[in-house]
Amino acid sequence: MTSRSREIMRRATELFPGGVNSPVRAFRGVGGEPFVVERGDGPRIWDVDGNEFIDYVLSWGPLVHGHAPPRVIAALDAAMRRGTSFGIPTEGEVALAEAVTERMPHVEMLRFVSSGTEATMSAIRLARAFTGRDVVLKFDGCYHGHADSFLVRAGSGVATLGLANSPGVPQSLASLTVVAPFNDLDAVEQLLRLNQVAAIIVEPVVGNAGFIAPDPAFLPGLRELASRHEALLIFDEVMTGFRIALGGARERFNVTADLTTLGKVIGGGLPVAAYGGRRELMELIAPSGSVYQAGTLSGNPLAMAAGLATLEDLSPAVQECIATGTARLVHGLRESAMRYGVPLTADCAGSMWGFFFRAEPVRSFADAKTSDVERFRRFFHAALDRGVYLAPSAFEAAFMSSAHDDAVIDATLDRLDDAMRASK
Ligand SMILES: *Cc1c(COP(=O)(O)O)cnc(C)c1O
């Protein structure tokens, strides 16, 4: 039996640490070898051996219209023919920025960058400059990219590998990051009293410790505490932006952050991210202000075109339809678990969803870690064998796209029901 995937991964392992260019891709959280993908179309992907999967990872969030959506491909094709990069202002940047600010009016001004890591790193620099303070408050299990300041209790990728922290991060820098449990306002208040905190940064709905929703009082409480202690509130919406609602956390929870970071969906599968917020803050960024941040490929015309086509096709009606499909999938998954007596808690927000093998609801990363990870591994592989690709870690959210129609969701539920039975 020959496997192209195995052969390519053997070559990859010689060239890349762990055979991959981003750690969770290596399947360390579930065991076994990753497959090598050849192409995608709508809700489906095919590996180089011809196996077909319904995809709920969707490039870890960006692909809100599934793979190779015709409108995005057409926009890319047109942009590409005009040239791939200039390093000179283009109208595409303005058009995408207008599409963002229209949906998120609290983002009065923004700056495009090329990855979520850059967005959060820059937002923190700005918060530190504005407040004249050094300490950043984050939450256990939240991931904000791999900048040094954030690799402290940083969720999925780090958790999957069992690393509490990362070597190479200077202790002097790590000590400027303080960590509270998610959904714990008392802990936040205590940290704010003890430290000169520049910013509280949070995933408004956690997707990097598995899917964890905020308690109703949590985000309003953070807003109030941040204001009282003169710290900025940063919503890291790299994952939740354009997914939990078109207007993100502000629309869904009616809480407004001072700064917002965006990524993933905003680039429609190309490398785009952004940070933005109140004008008085953003005007501190160079060249209008003195906080330095730059990027050769920032605002890249291909990336802008893909992002704009993606947002234009994500109307309120389309968003509603994806959210309905997501809720139906989650409901069906719960029914399967009940049918086989499997303890499971599952939840969703807009087009983001997730589940844990644990009977009680999960409110924090500590809760998440008590879920049955062994059962997740069995379920993941049983689902994969039946043609459903879930994130290869018990601590990742799943996604839905406008390409996952009712027939695709029904097929998924049949397969996951059988996977639930088989992995019981
Ligand atoms: C993915 C993610 C990031 C990092 O984005 P990259 O583009 O991978 O650097 C930051 N914050 C959150 C909430 C994310 O989900």
Side-chain angles (χ1 to χ4, degrees):
M1 215 176 58
T2 62
S3 160
R4 285 267 295 141
S5 269
R6 208 161 296 152
E7 192 266 319
I8 293 169
M9 281 312 296
R10 195 162 35 241
R11 283 155 57 204
T13 305
E14 291 298 311
L15 296 164
F16 310 123
V20 293
N21 285 299
S22 195
V24 266
R25 295 178 196 172
F27 277 32
R28 294 283 165 93
V30 289
E33 275 235 324
F35 59 87
V36 175
V37 70
E38 185 168 84
R39 68 189 177 91
D41 183 15
R44 295 188 179 79
I45 49 176
W46 286 265
D47 72 10
V48 290
D49 295 301
N51 299 304
E52 180 182 321
F53 306 94
I54 302 174
D55 183 11
Y56 290 95
V57 183
L58 295 168
S59 188
W60 303 90
L63 304 180
V64 75
H65 299 305
H67 295 274
R71 278 251 303 142
V72 174
I73 299 301
L76 276 170
D77 188 67
M80 185 167 71
R81 283 164 206 288
R82 293 190 294 266
T84 56
S85 184
F86 302 101
I88 302 170
T90 60
E91 189 174 0
E93 295 159 84
V94 179
L96 181 57
E98 285 170 347
V100 171
T101 56
E102 204 176 285
R103 288 157 181 77
M104 300 182 170
H106 59 295
V107 178
E108 295 170 351
M109 202 175 232
L110 66 160
R111 168 66 58 85
F112 286 119
V113 290
S114 300
S115 70
T117 292
E118 275 184 88
T120 54
M121 190 177 82
S122 310
I124 283 296
R125 183 179 301 144
L126 173 55
R128 283 173 164 157
F130 177 76
T131 59
R133 301 173 177 183
D134 289 338
V135 177
V136 173
L137 194 163
K138 75 178 283 288
F139 294 90
D140 189 17
C142 281
Y143 178 68
H144 304 293
H146 66 86
D148 283 350
S149 296
F150 297 124
L151 286 182
V152 179
R153 316 258 285 269
S156 59
V158 182
T160 301
L161 295 172
L163 309 175
N165 220 311
S166 175
V169 175
Q171 189 51 43
S172 56
L173 195 55
S175 67
L176 296 177
T177 302
V178 296
V179 182
F182 191 74
N183 275 326
D184 187 341
L185 288 172
D186 289 341
V188 172
E189 182 158 30
Q190 200 160 5
L191 287 170
L192 286 169
R193 269 206 228 102
L194 293 172
N195 300 276
Q196 290 288 305
V197 171
I200 301 173
I201 185 166
V202 65
E203 294 180 69
V205 173
V206 183
N208 285 290
F211 178 100
I212 307 176
D215 293 344
F218 184 59
L219 298 175
L222 284 187
R223 176 66 278 177
E224 197 271 316
L225 284 171
S227 298
R228 179 145 37 100
H229 290 267
E230 294 175 348
L232 296 184
L233 180 62
I234 304 175
F235 281 169
D236 181 359
E237 298 220 55
V238 169
M239 189 182 286
T240 57
F242 315 107
R243 280 206 172 268
I244 60 172
L246 293 185
R250 179 176 184 265
E251 181 182 325
R252 191 176 179 96
F253 301 112
N254 198 26
V255 175
T256 305
D258 300 297
L259 291 171
T260 298
T261 53
L262 297 165
K264 299 192 170 122
V265 169
I266 202 182
L270 271 82
V272 188
Y275 64 102
R278 290 203 328 260
R279 189 174 302 277
E280 78 170 307
L281 297 173
M282 291 306 293
E283 279 180 341
L284 294 177
I285 299 293
S288 71
S290 54
V291 180
Y292 197 72
Q293 185 273 311
T296 302
L297 293 175
S298 293
N300 173 268
L302 295 190
M304 297 294 108
L308 184 62
T310 297
L311 291 190
E312 281 177 349
D313 272 5
L314 193 56
S315 65
V318 170
Q319 166 71 11
E320 184 62 35
C321 180
I322 313 177
T324 303
T326 309
R328 195 161 75 79
L329 185 74
V330 165
H331 180 73
L333 191 62
R334 284 196 203 112
E335 283 190 334
S336 283
M338 246 165 351
R339 187 168 305 128
Y340 303 111
V342 170
L344 175 120
T345 178
D347 201 358
C348 61
S351 60
M352 232 176 112
W353 60 283
F355 60 92
F356 294 101
F357 286 115
R358 167 183 142 121
E360 310 78 39
V362 167
R363 296 179 57 247
S364 68
F365 192 37
D367 289 350
K369 284 189 287 196
T370 69
S371 67
D372 187 343
V373 175
E374 270 311 317
R375 188 194 294 274
F376 177 85
R377 288 185 183 134
R378 295 197 302 276
F379 181 68
F380 168 85
H381 283 291
L384 195 67
D385 289 345
R386 288 160 181 76
V388 176
Y389 179 48
L390 301 167
S393 161
F395 304 110
E396 294 288 350
F399 302 98
M400 183 66 85
S401 87
S402 59
H404 290 66
D405 61 16
D406 279 340
V408 169
I409 293 172
D410 287 338
T412 304
L413 285 173
D414 282 347
R415 295 175 193 188
L416 290 184
D417 186 78
D418 198 48
M420 193 74 80
R421 181 194 53 73
S423 59
K424 185 153 80 86

